[in-house]
Amino acid sequence: MGIQRINPDSMSAPIAPYTLVVRKNNVVTTAGMLGLDADGKLVGDDITSQTRQTLDNITTALEAAGASLDDVVKVTVFITEIANFAGMNEVYIEYFGDTKPARSTVGVELALPGALVEIEATAVLD
């Protein structure tokens, strides 16, 4: 199988020159996802609503490539304020539960004003 570059129709188009999700053989990786709705608008101004939308976007991107959150082996979380870690983690647990992929969390300044969190994921299919 060659490389599949997928931008799901139900998601807002990338805001720069990149693909939302890429699959090569049994490896699927997402771009860094933000809490954007299908119209490209940032959802909410708090960490829990943005994290929830971000993880919904990751779920949609993975599904478009034939994967799910259960297939995720590595997640990187970029967060603008470490004080928001607990709120992000609370929502993260709702989505990943006992799956518990490897994870890194990094404090950053994000390019989109108002964005509090960006998350990327890598999945491996059996």
Side-chain angles (χ1 to χ4, degrees), residues 79-125:
I79 192 167
T80 60
E81 297 178 35
I82 297 302
N84 283 332
F85 181 84
M88 176 279 299
N89 209 42
E90 179 181 308
V91 176
Y92 181 93
I93 290 167
E94 290 175 23
Y95 283 76
F96 285 102
D98 292 331
T99 303
K100 296 181 182 150
R103 183 177 90 182
S104 302
T105 303
V106 183
V108 298
E109 181 178 347
L110 296 174
L112 182 66
L116 301 174
V117 63
E118 181 173 328
I119 302 173
E120 62 185 25
T122 300
V124 177
L125 303 171

Side-chain angles (χ1 to χ4, degrees), residues 7 12-21 31-32 34 36 111-112 118:
N7 290 315
S12 64
I15 58 175
Y18 61 87
T19 302
L20 294 174
V21 61
L34 298 169
L36 301 175
L112 182 66
E118 181 173 328

Side-chain angles (χ1 to χ4, degrees), residues 13-97:
I15 58 175
Y18 61 87
T19 302
L20 294 174
V21 61
V22 175
R23 178 175 177 178
K24 170 115 175 145
N25 298 322
N26 66 335
V27 177
V28 178
T29 189
T30 73
M33 299 283 172
L34 298 169
L36 301 175
D37 65 16
D39 295 322
K41 303 270 193 279
L42 199 56
V43 174
D45 58 2
D46 63 279
I47 193 65
T48 56
S49 60
Q50 287 191 24
T51 301
R52 187 165 279 109
Q53 182 65 47
T54 299
L55 290 171
D56 284 346
N57 291 343
I58 286 175
T59 300
T60 299
L62 290 171
E63 288 174 352
S68 73
L69 291 178
D70 290 337
D71 300 309
V72 173
V73 296
K74 175 69 168 79
V75 174
T76 305
V77 178
F78 304 96
I79 192 167
T80 60
E81 297 178 35
I82 297 302
N84 283 332
F85 181 84
M88 176 279 299
N89 209 42
E90 179 181 308
V91 176
Y92 181 93
I93 290 167
E94 290 175 23
Y95 283 76
F96 285 102

